[in-house]
Amino acid sequence: MSEKTRVAILISGRGSNMAALIAAAKEKDYPAEIALVVSNRPEAEGLKTAQARGIQTAVLDHKQAGSREAFDGALHQLLVQQNIQLICLAGFMRLLTPGFVMSWEGRIINIHPSLLPAFKGIDAHAQTLAAGVKITGCTVHIVEPEMDSGPILAQAAVPVLPGDTEETLAARVLQAEHRLYPMALWLYLTGQAFPSDETDMLISA
Ligand code: GAR
């Protein structure tokens, strides 16, 4: 069997998507191993979760970094040092510089809690409710320099229900995220999800 892809997960907070990826990667036949979890915030809850599961963690505090370029330079060095082959953003609330994204072209994946290209940014659920749409969901995509953009690998649809608040909607979408992200990573690594307009996949997670 071929070797597993060494994946680093970048987080900023809770890390529930990270935990879903770690759980999936425990399976013998899963094509990735989670080799490292990096947080830009020392207090991120997800760091403890990763440590409890025996995953190596690192903190790169963006407040200490000086500049965006310096932060991304240190991140790049760390990832190269750890022989990381693919990066999964999981609630990583920081825009990466175009230089960093280009040097990891096609090797950074993100999950976003909406059906992109709708509702980019940090307040996806508020935007969803304000727009009055009846179906939302989550998207796993290849990262390009512009925020929440790039070829879509997989999406899951989730209903917006009457009376939903940002919290109730976020919780329902999060459940779909936890199913979609491990599946999308698996599909990508096994050549079954292609980052092109012609072959985007829609998964009902
Ligand atoms: C998730 O809902 C993720 O999709 C979202 O932040 C949450 C992180 O939760 N990411 C974005 O909004 C990125 N634009 P988690 O830390 O429990 O995985």
Side-chain angles (χ1 to χ4, degrees), residues 50-74:
Q51 284 155 9
R53 285 157 178 67
I55 309 288
Q56 191 185 338
T57 61
V59 173
L60 285 178
D61 188 346
H62 65 273
K63 290 189 190 134
Q64 311 285 327
S67 68
R68 224 164 247 288
E69 285 70 24
F71 178 90
D72 285 4

PDB file of all heavy atoms in Angstrom, residues 50-74:
ATOM      1  N   ALA A  50      -6.168  17.934  20.378  1.00  0.00           N
ATOM      2  CA  ALA A  50      -5.164  17.252  19.546  1.00  0.00           C
ATOM      3  C   ALA A  50      -4.153  16.521  20.434  1.00  0.00           C
ATOM      4  O   ALA A  50      -3.812  15.358  20.178  1.00  0.00           O
ATOM      5  CB  ALA A  50      -4.462  18.266  18.652  1.00  0.00           C
ATOM      6  N   GLN A  51      -3.701  17.208  21.479  1.00  0.00           N
ATOM      7  CA  GLN A  51      -2.715  16.588  22.377  1.00  0.00           C
ATOM      8  C   GLN A  51      -3.286  15.342  23.031  1.00  0.00           C
ATOM      9  O   GLN A  51      -2.607  14.318  23.147  1.00  0.00           O
ATOM     10  CB  GLN A  51      -2.261  17.600  23.440  1.00  0.00           C
ATOM     11  CG  GLN A  51      -1.294  18.635  22.872  1.00  0.00           C
ATOM     12  CD  GLN A  51      -1.289  19.942  23.654  1.00  0.00           C
ATOM     13  OE1 GLN A  51      -1.882  20.035  24.739  1.00  0.00           O
ATOM     14  NE2 GLN A  51      -0.640  20.966  23.113  1.00  0.00           N
ATOM     15  N   ALA A  52      -4.557  15.432  23.442  1.00  0.00           N
ATOM     16  CA  ALA A  52      -5.212  14.283  24.083  1.00  0.00           C
ATOM     17  C   ALA A  52      -5.295  13.090  23.130  1.00  0.00           C
ATOM     18  O   ALA A  52      -5.383  11.947  23.572  1.00  0.00           O
ATOM     19  CB  ALA A  52      -6.606  14.663  24.558  1.00  0.00           C
ATOM     20  N   ARG A  53      -5.255  13.365  21.835  1.00  0.00           N
ATOM     21  CA  ARG A  53      -5.315  12.279  20.856  1.00  0.00           C
ATOM     22  C   ARG A  53      -3.918  11.903  20.357  1.00  0.00           C
ATOM     23  O   ARG A  53      -3.772  11.185  19.352  1.00  0.00           O
ATOM     24  CB  ARG A  53      -6.221  12.676  19.676  1.00  0.00           C
ATOM     25  CG  ARG A  53      -7.706  12.623  20.064  1.00  0.00           C
ATOM     26  CD  ARG A  53      -8.548  13.491  19.167  1.00  0.00           C
ATOM     27  NE  ARG A  53      -9.972  13.434  19.475  1.00  0.00           N
ATOM     28  CZ  ARG A  53     -10.556  13.897  20.594  1.00  0.00           C
ATOM     29  NH1 ARG A  53      -9.822  14.400  21.576  1.00  0.00           N
ATOM     30  NH2 ARG A  53     -11.860  13.816  20.755  1.00  0.00           N
ATOM     31  N   GLY A  54      -2.901  12.428  21.013  1.00  0.00           N
ATOM     32  CA  GLY A  54      -1.530  12.042  20.695  1.00  0.00           C
ATOM     33  C   GLY A  54      -0.960  12.684  19.443  1.00  0.00           C
ATOM     34  O   GLY A  54      -0.012  12.172  18.848  1.00  0.00           O
ATOM     35  N   ILE A  55      -1.537  13.804  19.031  1.00  0.00           N
ATOM     36  CA  ILE A  55      -1.040  14.481  17.826  1.00  0.00           C
ATOM     37  C   ILE A  55      -0.086  15.610  18.226  1.00  0.00           C
ATOM     38  O   ILE A  55      -0.361  16.366  19.173  1.00  0.00           O
ATOM     39  CB  ILE A  55      -2.211  15.099  17.013  1.00  0.00           C
ATOM     40  CG1 ILE A  55      -3.323  14.073  16.756  1.00  0.00           C
ATOM     41  CG2 ILE A  55      -1.708  15.736  15.722  1.00  0.00           C
ATOM     42  CD1 ILE A  55      -3.035  12.995  15.776  1.00  0.00           C
ATOM     43  N   GLN A  56       1.003  15.726  17.503  1.00  0.00           N
ATOM     44  CA  GLN A  56       1.962  16.795  17.760  1.00  0.00           C
ATOM     45  C   GLN A  56       1.325  18.157  17.466  1.00  0.00           C
ATOM     46  O   GLN A  56       0.642  18.322  16.448  1.00  0.00           O
ATOM     47  CB  GLN A  56       3.187  16.603  16.871  1.00  0.00           C
ATOM     48  CG  GLN A  56       4.346  17.509  17.250  1.00  0.00           C
ATOM     49  CD  GLN A  56       5.502  17.394  16.274  1.00  0.00           C
ATOM     50  OE1 GLN A  56       5.638  16.394  15.566  1.00  0.00           O
ATOM     51  NE2 GLN A  56       6.323  18.412  16.224  1.00  0.00           N
ATOM     52  N   THR A  57       1.543  19.119  18.362  1.00  0.00           N
ATOM     53  CA  THR A  57       0.961  20.448  18.158  1.00  0.00           C
ATOM     54  C   THR A  57       2.050  21.519  18.168  1.00  0.00           C
ATOM     55  O   THR A  57       3.133  21.317  18.718  1.00  0.00           O
ATOM     56  CB  THR A  57      -0.065  20.807  19.264  1.00  0.00           C
ATOM     57  OG1 THR A  57       0.609  20.807  20.523  1.00  0.00           O
ATOM     58  CG2 THR A  57      -1.237  19.851  19.285  1.00  0.00           C
ATOM     59  N   ALA A  58       1.727  22.642  17.559  1.00  0.00           N
ATOM     60  CA  ALA A  58       2.626  23.802  17.585  1.00  0.00           C
ATOM     61  C   ALA A  58       1.779  25.061  17.631  1.00  0.00           C
ATOM     62  O   ALA A  58       0.669  25.093  17.095  1.00  0.00           O
ATOM     63  CB  ALA A  58       3.507  23.807  16.338  1.00  0.00           C
ATOM     64  N   VAL A  59       2.320  26.088  18.289  1.00  0.00           N
ATOM     65  CA  VAL A  59       1.648  27.391  18.322  1.00  0.00           C
ATOM     66  C   VAL A  59       2.544  28.398  17.623  1.00  0.00           C
ATOM     67  O   VAL A  59       3.729  28.497  17.924  1.00  0.00           O
ATOM     68  CB  VAL A  59       1.392  27.845  19.779  1.00  0.00           C
ATOM     69  CG1 VAL A  59       0.849  29.273  19.796  1.00  0.00           C
ATOM     70  CG2 VAL A  59       0.428  26.902  20.476  1.00  0.00           C
ATOM     71  N   LEU A  60       1.946  29.102  16.678  1.00  0.00           N
ATOM     72  CA  LEU A  60       2.632  30.251  16.080  1.00  0.00           C
ATOM     73  C   LEU A  60       1.729  31.439  16.360  1.00  0.00           C
ATOM     74  O   LEU A  60       0.732  31.641  15.661  1.00  0.00           O
ATOM     75  CB  LEU A  60       2.790  30.063  14.571  1.00  0.00           C
ATOM     76  CG  LEU A  60       3.846  29.077  14.083  1.00  0.00           C
ATOM     77  CD1 LEU A  60       3.813  29.000  12.559  1.00  0.00           C
ATOM     78  CD2 LEU A  60       5.242  29.504  14.543  1.00  0.00           C
ATOM     79  N   ASP A  61       2.051  32.171  17.382  1.00  0.00           N
ATOM     80  CA  ASP A  61       1.171  33.268  17.818  1.00  0.00           C
ATOM     81  C   ASP A  61       1.288  34.438  16.838  1.00  0.00           C
ATOM     82  O   ASP A  61       2.355  35.054  16.714  1.00  0.00           O
ATOM     83  CB  ASP A  61       1.599  33.698  19.230  1.00  0.00           C
ATOM     84  CG  ASP A  61       0.622  34.690  19.836  1.00  0.00           C
ATOM     85  OD1 ASP A  61      -0.221  35.240  19.098  1.00  0.00           O
ATOM     86  OD2 ASP A  61       0.710  34.911  21.055  1.00  0.00           O
ATOM     87  N   HIS A  62       0.179  34.724  16.157  1.00  0.00           N
ATOM     88  CA  HIS A  62       0.254  35.771  15.135  1.00  0.00           C
ATOM     89  C   HIS A  62       0.546  37.135  15.759  1.00  0.00           C
ATOM     90  O   HIS A  62       1.100  38.008  15.101  1.00  0.00           O
ATOM     91  CB  HIS A  62      -1.023  35.810  14.295  1.00  0.00           C
ATOM     92  CG  HIS A  62      -2.245  36.187  15.053  1.00  0.00           C
ATOM     93  ND1 HIS A  62      -3.013  35.274  15.725  1.00  0.00           N
ATOM     94  CD2 HIS A  62      -2.826  37.379  15.264  1.00  0.00           C
ATOM     95  CE1 HIS A  62      -4.019  35.894  16.301  1.00  0.00           C
ATOM     96  NE2 HIS A  62      -3.930  37.172  16.045  1.00  0.00           N
ATOM     97  N   LYS A  63       0.209  37.294  17.062  1.00  0.00           N
ATOM     98  CA  LYS A  63       0.461  38.591  17.708  1.00  0.00           C
ATOM     99  C   LYS A  63       1.955  38.823  17.910  1.00  0.00           C
ATOM    100  O   LYS A  63       2.411  39.948  18.044  1.00  0.00           O
ATOM    101  CB  LYS A  63      -0.254  38.646  19.057  1.00  0.00           C
ATOM    102  CG  LYS A  63      -1.755  38.730  18.900  1.00  0.00           C
ATOM    103  CD  LYS A  63      -2.413  38.996  20.245  1.00  0.00           C
ATOM    104  CE  LYS A  63      -3.906  38.836  20.148  1.00  0.00           C
ATOM    105  NZ  LYS A  63      -4.456  38.058  21.253  1.00  0.00           N
ATOM    106  N   GLN A  64       2.728  37.739  17.960  1.00  0.00           N
ATOM    107  CA  GLN A  64       4.176  37.850  18.147  1.00  0.00           C
ATOM    108  C   GLN A  64       4.923  37.909  16.813  1.00  0.00           C
ATOM    109  O   GLN A  64       6.131  38.133  16.792  1.00  0.00           O
ATOM    110  CB  GLN A  64       4.718  36.628  18.922  1.00  0.00           C
ATOM    111  CG  GLN A  64       3.979  36.262  20.183  1.00  0.00           C
ATOM    112  CD  GLN A  64       4.285  37.212  21.320  1.00  0.00           C
ATOM    113  OE1 GLN A  64       5.391  37.732  21.411  1.00  0.00           O
ATOM    114  NE2 GLN A  64       3.317  37.465  22.183  1.00  0.00           N
ATOM    115  N   ALA A  65       4.201  37.658  15.734  1.00  0.00           N
ATOM    116  CA  ALA A  65       4.894  37.427  14.455  1.00  0.00           C
ATOM    117  C   ALA A  65       5.465  38.685  13.801  1.00  0.00           C
ATOM    118  O   ALA A  65       6.413  38.611  13.041  1.00  0.00           O
ATOM    119  CB  ALA A  65       3.957  36.720  13.481  1.00  0.00           C
ATOM    120  N   GLY A  66       4.876  39.825  14.094  1.00  0.00           N
ATOM    121  CA  GLY A  66       5.367  41.059  13.464  1.00  0.00           C
ATOM    122  C   GLY A  66       4.564  41.417  12.238  1.00  0.00           C
ATOM    123  O   GLY A  66       3.861  42.400  12.213  1.00  0.00           O
ATOM    124  N   SER A  67       4.656  40.581  11.219  1.00  0.00           N
ATOM    125  CA  SER A  67       3.920  40.879   9.986  1.00  0.00           C
ATOM    126  C   SER A  67       3.289  39.590   9.473  1.00  0.00           C
ATOM    127  O   SER A  67       3.647  38.492   9.890  1.00  0.00           O
ATOM    128  CB  SER A  67       4.861  41.435   8.917  1.00  0.00           C
ATOM    129  OG  SER A  67       5.748  40.411   8.498  1.00  0.00           O
ATOM    130  N   ARG A  68       2.364  39.755   8.544  1.00  0.00           N
ATOM    131  CA  ARG A  68       1.716  38.624   7.902  1.00  0.00           C
ATOM    132  C   ARG A  68       2.757  37.753   7.189  1.00  0.00           C
ATOM    133  O   ARG A  68       2.717  36.535   7.231  1.00  0.00           O
ATOM    134  CB  ARG A  68       0.717  39.185   6.881  1.00  0.00           C
ATOM    135  CG  ARG A  68      -0.592  38.513   6.882  1.00  0.00           C
ATOM    136  CD  ARG A  68      -1.648  39.324   6.167  1.00  0.00           C
ATOM    137  NE  ARG A  68      -2.640  39.776   7.114  1.00  0.00           N
ATOM    138  CZ  ARG A  68      -3.549  38.994   7.698  1.00  0.00           C
ATOM    139  NH1 ARG A  68      -3.580  37.705   7.446  1.00  0.00           N
ATOM    140  NH2 ARG A  68      -4.417  39.485   8.546  1.00  0.00           N
ATOM    141  N   GLU A  69       3.712  38.437   6.527  1.00  0.00           N
ATOM    142  CA  GLU A  69       4.746  37.709   5.772  1.00  0.00           C
ATOM    143  C   GLU A  69       5.630  36.909   6.738  1.00  0.00           C
ATOM    144  O   GLU A  69       6.009  35.776   6.450  1.00  0.00           O
ATOM    145  CB  GLU A  69       5.617  38.676   4.958  1.00  0.00           C
ATOM    146  CG  GLU A  69       4.953  39.236   3.713  1.00  0.00           C
ATOM    147  CD  GLU A  69       3.814  40.220   4.006  1.00  0.00           C
ATOM    148  OE1 GLU A  69       3.800  40.823   5.108  1.00  0.00           O
ATOM    149  OE2 GLU A  69       2.937  40.373   3.132  1.00  0.00           O
ATOM    150  N   ALA A  70       5.956  37.522   7.893  1.00  0.00           N
ATOM    151  CA  ALA A  70       6.812  36.841   8.875  1.00  0.00           C
ATOM    152  C   ALA A  70       6.088  35.618   9.436  1.00  0.00           C
ATOM    153  O   ALA A  70       6.685  34.538   9.606  1.00  0.00           O
ATOM    154  CB  ALA A  70       7.181  37.799   9.999  1.00  0.00           C
ATOM    155  N   PHE A  71       4.792  35.776   9.713  1.00  0.00           N
ATOM    156  CA  PHE A  71       4.000  34.643  10.229  1.00  0.00           C
ATOM    157  C   PHE A  71       3.993  33.507   9.216  1.00  0.00           C
ATOM    158  O   PHE A  71       4.294  32.350   9.550  1.00  0.00           O
ATOM    159  CB  PHE A  71       2.557  35.087  10.533  1.00  0.00           C
ATOM    160  CG  PHE A  71       1.677  33.968  11.014  1.00  0.00           C
ATOM    161  CD1 PHE A  71       1.579  33.674  12.372  1.00  0.00           C
ATOM    162  CD2 PHE A  71       0.961  33.185  10.103  1.00  0.00           C
ATOM    163  CE1 PHE A  71       0.781  32.610  12.815  1.00  0.00           C
ATOM    164  CE2 PHE A  71       0.166  32.124  10.554  1.00  0.00           C
ATOM    165  CZ  PHE A  71       0.072  31.845  11.902  1.00  0.00           C
ATOM    166  N   ASP A  72       3.672  33.853   7.979  1.00  0.00           N
ATOM    167  CA  ASP A  72       3.566  32.808   6.952  1.00  0.00           C
ATOM    168  C   ASP A  72       4.938  32.188   6.654  1.00  0.00           C
ATOM    169  O   ASP A  72       5.022  30.999   6.321  1.00  0.00           O
ATOM    170  CB  ASP A  72       2.940  33.383   5.669  1.00  0.00           C
ATOM    171  CG  ASP A  72       1.438  33.598   5.827  1.00  0.00           C
ATOM    172  OD1 ASP A  72       0.914  33.378   6.943  1.00  0.00           O
ATOM    173  OD2 ASP A  72       0.780  33.986   4.835  1.00  0.00           O
ATOM    174  N   GLY A  73       5.992  32.985   6.787  1.00  0.00           N
ATOM    175  CA  GLY A  73       7.348  32.462   6.579  1.00  0.00           C
ATOM    176  C   GLY A  73       7.677  31.423   7.650  1.00  0.00           C
ATOM    177  O   GLY A  73       8.209  30.343   7.347  1.00  0.00           O
ATOM    178  N   ALA A  74       7.348  31.739   8.902  1.00  0.00           N
ATOM    179  CA  ALA A  74       7.609  30.807  10.003  1.00  0.00           C
ATOM    180  C   ALA A  74       6.764  29.547   9.846  1.00  0.00           C
ATOM    181  O   ALA A  74       7.238  28.426  10.097  1.00  0.00           O
ATOM    182  CB  ALA A  74       7.300  31.483  11.336  1.00  0.00           C
TER     183      ALA A  74
END
